[in-house]
Amino acid sequence: MDFIPYGSQWIDDDDISEVVSVLKSNWITTGPKIKEFEDALCEYIGCRYCVAVNSGTSALDIAVQSLDLQEGSEIITTPFTFVATSNAIIYNRHKPIFADICSDTFNIDPEDIRRKITKNTKAIIYVDYAGQPCDIREIKEIADEFDLYLIEDACHAIGAEYKQKKVGNFADLTIFSFHPVKHITTGEGGAVVTDNKELYEKLSPLRTHGIDKNTMERFGPDASWAYDMKYLGRNYRITDFQAALGISQLKKLDGFIERRTELASIYKEHLSDIDFVSLPIVKNNIKHAFHIYTILLDKSINRDEFFKYMKAASIGVNVHYIPVYRHSYYVNNFDFDRTDFPVTEDIFKRIITLPLFPRMGLDNMEYIVETIKAYRK
Ligand SMILES: *Cc1c(COP(=O)(O)O)cnc(C)c1O
């Protein structure tokens, strides 16, 4: 069996020809395709504003920056995520505070958010783990009660829904990533969406050095040379040929999610009678986007042995995630105590991600299921 990765893009000839036609045009960056991609994302999600950038990490960074919080503010987030989520807090000189996760969805636990709130808490960044939206109503209630901003890291969850409404319509700011392992890809890329005009008007220049070209009021109507740097922005721009790929991929997103959902249900059907495996649950009132498919191993199974066994069979298993506070940068710069996160620690030791991507064949699926079943026989 050829190696089966845990995730992979699906790029067709029509995607490629969109990219090529931009490469043959005059605008390969900062051109019309950017706005077209942003408009298409707004239309898909049903939100007002979008700023496309060069990665999900950049999107998180400018999202936090746009809130203009006082230096050293506390932002509560989940430790069971990719490091970029909490790194964005540190880039902006704020303090990451982790809350433990729920044992059923592995999403941030609203009860533990409440316990971690202090007078310095200013925002919450929640992650829709694996593509399953968090308990957004409960999180919003907390945000309203304590006057906190909400950022939704929906890098796993584009196209997912909460109470029949697409993710991207709940938090003050929502983040997406278009890395090749995510639902749709632009190579590298990301976006922030919002309904808040004021935040949008900051996000847009933050992507391009904090420069505002609309400077008539400062230099007069004839100063066509003028620009003004209003904020300490970065160069987080995405190119037009990437945006063209994004536009083309977005048209296929619903089909990709459908296929992922179908594959997840096949996993469920075939793995549910294996006694040493527990399968992910899907809550009511949500549509799961199935970015990843994870299983939990029984405590009698050594996850690392099982991992090696699967890898030896050319199956690209993974672990999502090493809790952020376990990384050496966090150990060396903060004093998080693992025992504060009993659920995260337990899940981390038992979880394993199985391959799941739309182009995956049923032969691959069958092989993976049979390989799991043969373990411990
Ligand atoms: C992928 C991912 C990111 C980072 O996105 P990039 O586009 O790789 O920078 C951030 N948060 C989560 C939860 C992710 O899965």
Side-chain angles (χ1 to χ4, degrees), residues 141-176:
E141 270 171 24
I142 297 170
D144 289 344
E145 190 177 331
F146 296 95
D147 198 20
L148 310 175
Y149 282 108
L150 288 181
I151 297 178
E152 183 159 352
D153 179 341
C155 289
H156 296 188
I158 190 166
E161 294 175 13
Y162 179 78
K163 297 188 177 170
Q164 275 96 49
K165 214 168 168 188
K166 283 209 171 69
V167 156
N169 290 294
F170 301 102
D172 296 291
L173 299 157
T174 302
I175 307 308
F176 300 109

Side-chain angles (χ1 to χ4, degrees), residues 55-58 60 81-82 84-85 127 153 155-156 177-179 182 188-189 291 321:
S55 74
T57 304
S58 303
L60 278 160
T81 182
F82 184 53
T85 313
V127 176
D153 179 341
C155 289
H156 296 188
S177 164
F178 309 122
H179 182 275
K182 307 292 162 69
E188 299 282 354
H291 162 54
Y321 286 97

Side-chain angles (χ1 to χ4, degrees), residues 211-229:
I211 287 174
D212 185 355
K213 287 250 173 72
N214 222 341
T215 51
M216 300 258 252
E217 68 276 15
R218 293 200 50 195
F219 298 103
D222 300 325
S224 57
W225 42 265
Y227 62 85
D228 183 35
M229 192 196 105

Side-chain angles (χ1 to χ4, degrees), residues 107-164:
N107 278 331
I108 194 166
D109 177 3
E111 285 308 308
D112 208 41
I113 293 177
R114 279 185 184 276
R115 283 191 282 271
K116 300 286 165 71
I117 288 175
T118 73
K119 62 178 193 330
N120 295 323
T121 308
K122 300 293 176 216
I124 301 168
I125 307 181
Y126 59 97
V127 176
D128 302 314
Y129 181 85
Q132 169 145 258
C134 289
D135 196 331
I136 295 174
R137 184 187 53 84
E138 255 183 278
I139 294 173
K140 272 186 101 104
E141 270 171 24
I142 297 170
D144 289 344
E145 190 177 331
F146 296 95
D147 198 20
L148 310 175
Y149 282 108
L150 288 181
I151 297 178
E152 183 159 352
D153 179 341
C155 289
H156 296 188
I158 190 166
E161 294 175 13
Y162 179 78
K163 297 188 177 170
Q164 275 96 49

Side-chain angles (χ1 to χ4, degrees), residues 319-363:
V319 171
H320 294 98
Y321 286 97
I322 302 164
V324 176
Y325 52 73
R326 278 177 167 258
H327 287 282
S328 52
Y329 179 84
Y330 282 80
V331 171
N332 295 335
N333 290 280
F334 299 92
D335 53 0
F336 294 109
D337 180 350
R338 286 179 197 179
T339 62
D340 279 347
F341 312 100
V343 182
T344 306
E345 285 293 301
D346 174 53
I347 301 299
F348 163 57
K349 286 169 187 150
R350 296 161 55 210
I351 202 161
I352 194 157
T353 305
L354 302 180
L356 179 73
F357 51 95
R359 215 175 33 181
M360 193 167 131
L362 291 179
D363 54 335

Side-chain angles (χ1 to χ4, degrees), residues 242-286:
Q242 289 175 293
L245 180 56
I247 294 162
S248 183
Q249 287 263 297
L250 186 58
K251 293 177 186 151
K252 304 170 181 181
L253 174 57
D254 284 336
F256 287 162
I257 294 172
E258 217 171 282
R259 179 71 183 148
R260 285 173 175 276
T261 308
E262 196 182 319
L263 292 169
S265 68
I266 299 174
Y267 267 139
K268 185 175 176 189
E269 191 186 323
H270 293 281
L271 298 176
S272 55
D273 55 354
I274 303 181
D275 61 353
F276 62 88
V277 163
S278 26
L279 303 183
I281 63 113
V282 178
K283 289 257 191 175
N284 293 328
N285 285 326
I286 65 112

